Amino acid sequence: MTNLARTERLRLVDTANRAGEDAPTLCEGWTTRDLATHLVIRERHPAAALGIFLPKFEGKREEQEQAYASMPYSHLLGLVASPPRWTPGGWPGVESVMNTAEYVVHHEDIRRAAIEWIPRRLSLSENRAVWAACRTALLPFAAKAEGRVEISSPGFGQRSAGRQTRGSNGKAGGITITGEPVEILLYLMGRERRALVDVK
């Protein structure tokens, strides 16, 4: 299986460089510079990265964001492209699990925020890596959903998770999300409006 996490890291850097530091992203309120800063803090300052989710770490996150605010954009992208050797995301076997979804989705956050964009065609091995990420992302998505969630990607398989519920009419509740692996991953990661999937 290809190391898509590493490949997408470099693709994201290239796309972010061409877009410019003030380009919008699908992350509400974030420019490409903000997104790059997030990626750097996530890998180099794990405690500060927790500030996205935990209020008590918010001060650390803001402090690191300010530290990178004056850094030249090209230097910031260089840090994204070359993570420190000590980060768990660089360890064999951990990198794919930790970073595939992160970099595929954030790369698309930049690409699909543009006025004009077209879906990418990934190789078979890359699609397999994304499908593996979909199976992982399905669990937290299904945990918050009402009813069972099934994902289906022709040529890659099906997977379901979540509680089986029944409506007042006695029919089983839930949804089936069908599409290419990248599109399913984007849907599961909160980019429903830009994900080219069929939901039933």
Side-chain angles (χ1 to χ4, degrees), residues 24-92:
T25 73
L26 296 186
C27 300
E28 187 175 353
W30 279 10
T31 63
T32 45
R33 169 179 274 277
D34 297 325
L35 182 50
T37 299
H38 158 73
L39 293 170
V40 170
I41 291 174
R42 175 179 176 266
E43 289 189 315
R44 295 173 183 266
H45 309 280
L50 291 174
I52 297 175
F53 311 104
L54 303 174
K56 72 176 184 177
F57 291 100
E58 190 170 349
K60 288 182 177 292
R61 177 181 59 81
E62 292 176 350
E63 181 180 315
Q64 291 300 330
E65 287 176 348
Q66 292 174 4
Y68 287 110
S70 60
M71 179 179 287
Y73 187 53
S74 59
H75 189 181
L76 185 64
L77 292 182
L79 294 180
V80 176
S82 302
R85 292 185 178 182
W86 52 261
T87 181
W91 299 346

Side-chain angles (χ1 to χ4, degrees), residues 159-182:
R159 186 62 62 96
S160 61
R163 295 174 286 106
Q164 187 69 65
T165 61
R166 294 190 177 276
S168 57
N169 58 4
K171 293 185 178 180
I175 60 172
T176 298
I177 307 164
T178 304
E180 293 293 319
V182 168

Side-chain angles (χ1 to χ4, degrees), residues 134 137-138 141 149 151 177 183-191:
C134 287
L138 172 61
F141 181 90
V149 179
I151 56 175
I177 307 164
E183 305 301 332
I184 293 174
L185 181 62
L186 288 170
Y187 190 94
L188 295 176
M189 299 293 285
R191 279 68 173 177

Side-chain angles (χ1 to χ4, degrees), residues 12-30:
L12 179 151
V13 167
D14 179 63
T15 299
N17 184 52
R18 286 186 285 107
E21 64 182 309
D22 296 320
T25 73
L26 296 186
C27 300
E28 187 175 353
W30 279 10

